[in-house]
Amino acid sequence: KQEVTQIPAALSVPEGENLVLNCSFTDSAIYNLQWFRQDPGKGLTSLLLIQSSQREQTSGRLNASLDKSSGRSTLYIAASQPGDSATYLCAVASGSRLTFGEGTQLTVNP
Amino acid sequence: GAVVSQHPSWVICKSGTSVKIECRSLDFQATTMFWYRQFPKQSLMLMATSNEGSKATYEQGVEKDKFLINHASLTLSTLTVTSAHPEDSSFYICSATEADSLGYTQYFGPGTRLTVL
């Protein structure tokens, strides 16, 4: 059974800092890994999707890496802004099934 | 891009009543749809997987007689919470899967907030 863990559970940083969110998974037989953002009381916004054959994906200030053999992914956020405050969820796809981590609650202070 | 809608976005009901939530894929045909539940400050937990025209597959611990799922077409799945109780209050999110050349991509609806009084 796939298990996904995210560290840290919560993170508070001053505006402008670069930061890294971590995600680990137990079964390396995955199709892809996806990072989502969730604002309070809202649905999911897909940020980045990395296919199992890829090592990283970039979108603006976001960069996600994937090391399938070690079961790890990181989400790097550059020059953080207060608008980045949200919960970030990592999800691993095994076939058509997604397994979510518990999320990292990020607060960026002005 | 692929869009999934949910209706209603929020609902308040009395204990003992039934509530139906719709999930639609607007611009693609979904081979599979998923229903998730999310309690406050927790992650998404998969409730069931449904394929068009067949019975849903429920996760362990999810009561299939309480959470009725119907997937009558390739663009519509419904979740009915029967005889709802306050402990069923939660955020319900659906997703729809479109098969592509690299596997499967899930597209998520905006969620439905259910409050049972």
Side-chain angles (χ1 to χ4, degrees), chain B:
Chain B
V3 179
V4 176
S5 69
Q6 278 185 244
H7 178 78
S9 56
W10 60 270
V11 56
I12 301 173
C13 69
K14 293 182 179 180
S15 184
T17 60
S18 294
V19 175
K20 180 184 285 188
I21 303 171
E22 292 186 350
C23 176
R24 293 181 184 272
S25 56
L26 298 184
D27 50 4
F28 67 100
Q29 292 188 327
T31 53
T32 304
M33 287 185 169
F34 300 85
W35 287 96
Y36 296 85
R37 179 168 53 184
Q38 186 180 34
F39 291 109
K41 297 193 180 298
Q42 295 186 22
S43 191
L44 278 73
M45 296 300 295
L46 180 64
M47 298 176 65
T49 303
S50 73
N51 294 292
E52 183 262 343
S54 61
K55 290 184 178 180
T57 301
Y58 291 81
E59 294 298 298
Q60 191 173 8
V62 178
E63 300 174 58
K64 62 180 181 181
D65 294 331
K66 180 168 186 62
F67 299 99
L68 302 179
I69 292 173
N70 183 280
H71 193 162
S73 76
L74 285 171
T75 60
L76 173 64
S77 176
T78 60
L79 167 68
T80 301
V81 183
T82 62
S83 186
H85 291 285
E87 57 266 29
D88 298 323
S89 298
S90 187
F91 193 51
Y92 292 87
I93 303 177
C94 75
S95 70
T97 297
E98 183 180 43
D100 56 36
S101 60
L102 297 175
Y104 301 91
T105 300
Q106 281 193 32
Y107 300 97
F108 285 82
T112 296
R113 173 76 57 193
L114 170 63
T115 302
V116 184
L117 302 177

Side-chain angles (χ1 to χ4, degrees), chain A residues 2 4 30-36 44 49 90-101, chain B residues 34 36 44-47 49 59 95-97 104-108:
Chain A
Q2 181 75 268
V4 181
I30 65 171
Y31 275 113
N32 59 54
L33 183 145
Q34 206 162 354
W35 284 93
F36 294 89
L44 303 180
L49 184 151
C90 164
V92 173
S94 303
S96 61
R97 181 191 180 97
L98 277 182
T99 303
F100 283 85
Chain B
F34 300 85
Y36 296 85
L44 278 73
M45 296 300 295
L46 180 64
M47 298 176 65
T49 303
E59 294 298 298
S95 70
T97 297
Y104 301 91
T105 300
Q106 281 193 32
Y107 300 97
F108 285 82

